[in-house]
Amino acid sequence: MGMKRKTRLGRVVSNKMDKTAVVAVETSRHHPLYKKTIKKMTKYKAHDEKNECEIGDTVRLVETRPLSKEKRWRVAEIISKAEVIEVKPEEIEVEPEPVEEQPEETTGD
């Protein structure tokens, strides 16, 4: 008899560690008294075995046994890849800033 594992949907915010991705999961709920929608963002460290995750990817996390001090989640699948726009340095147009002339100081001789 297998247990159903918790799953979360989130966006990768960091992938600088080896085989680990930091995933931000946003949940929302209504305040019981004021009825305002409250958004809460939680960051999970998730195991990424093949280092496939890139920043901005939407991923599905699955709960797993503790893999390290902070890793209790595993990347089950990458739902959508982040769209990366590559721009060459020559394509960036930079306008020079106008130089303001300082008025000369007159001495009271």
Side-chain angles (χ1 to χ4, degrees):
M1 185 159 97
M3 283 180 34
K4 186 167 171 110
R5 296 174 186 254
K6 294 177 189 174
T7 61
R8 301 280 186 265
L9 214 64
R11 187 168 301 275
V12 178
V13 292
S14 174
N15 64 345
K16 293 183 179 182
M17 294 172 276
D18 186 34
K19 296 187 178 183
T20 303
V22 180
V23 180
V25 176
E26 193 171 277
T27 55
S28 61
R29 65 179 191 90
H30 288 287
H31 190 278
L33 178 61
Y34 301 113
K35 310 300 186 221
K36 181 178 178 177
T37 303
I38 302 167
K39 290 183 182 177
K40 181 182 177 187
M41 198 258 310
T42 310
K43 290 182 181 178
Y44 295 106
K45 288 189 174 67
H47 186 65
D48 180 20
E49 182 62 40
K50 299 175 185 171
N51 282 327
E52 294 175 326
C53 293
E54 297 294 329
I55 294 176
D57 291 355
T58 304
V59 296
R60 182 182 319 281
L61 302 179
V62 177
E63 189 179 35
T64 187
R65 65 181 175 82
L67 299 170
S68 71
K69 179 183 174 185
E70 297 178 328
K71 285 193 334 191
R72 272 95 175 113
W73 296 86
R74 179 171 46 85
V75 176
E77 64 175 314
I78 298 173
I79 295 171
S80 65
K81 295 295 268 181
E83 191 172 311
V84 179
I85 301 171
E86 293 189 24
V87 180
K88 296 178 183 173
E90 301 86 40
E91 297 175 356
I92 300 173
E93 295 178 18
V94 179
E95 295 181 17
E97 295 181 17
V99 178
E100 296 180 17
E101 292 184 23
Q102 305 238 346
E104 292 182 22
E105 294 182 18
T106 56
T107 57
D109 284 347

